[in-house]
């Protein structure tokens, strides 16, 4: 499912327009993003937890030249599903 399909599904479930559903989906995603940036963790009971993760600097290999390259440290987002979500899959 992509974002457009999610918006369509939300519109059907809420019996609302696609524009309203799109704003709702965008708002939820923005709030999760802000929460991860600020709190470093967003826990949604019964669904799962989004967390900010740090990746250490490391050495890699350029696939084109086979030369070793240094990969800088970075931040990423992780997701751990709740037991209820895992059980429903």
């Amino acid at each position: 499912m992509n974002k457009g399909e999610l918006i369509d599904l939300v519109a059907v479930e809420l019996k609302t327009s696609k524009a309203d559903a799109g704003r709702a989906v965008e708002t939820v995603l923005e709030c999760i993003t802000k929460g991860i940036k600020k709190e470093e963790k967003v826990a949604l009971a019964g669904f799962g937890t989004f967390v900010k993760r740090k990746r250490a600097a490391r050495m890699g290999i350029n696939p084109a030249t086979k030369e070793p390259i240094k990969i800088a440290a970075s931040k990423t987002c992780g997701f751990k599903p709740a037991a209820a979500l895992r059980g429903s899959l």
Side-chain angles (χ1 to χ4, degrees), residues 4-18 20-22:
E5 293 169 339
L6 177 61
I7 290 170
D8 291 343
L9 188 58
V10 169
V12 169
E13 290 292 320
L14 295 178
K15 297 178 178 81
T16 187
S17 69
K18 286 185 185 180
D20 288 342

Side-chain angles (χ1 to χ4, degrees), residues 32-73:
I32 290 172
T33 301
K34 287 178 186 176
I36 293 170
K37 285 181 181 179
K38 184 178 180 184
E39 307 293 328
E40 300 194 1
K41 180 174 156 181
V42 175
L44 303 173
F47 185 70
T49 304
F50 296 92
V51 294
K52 185 189 307 186
R53 292 190 178 148
K54 297 176 183 171
R55 288 186 179 164
R58 61 195 188 280
M59 293 302 293
I61 296 177
N62 181 333
T65 64
K66 307 297 185 213
E67 295 288 322
I69 57 172
K70 183 172 180 174
I71 301 171

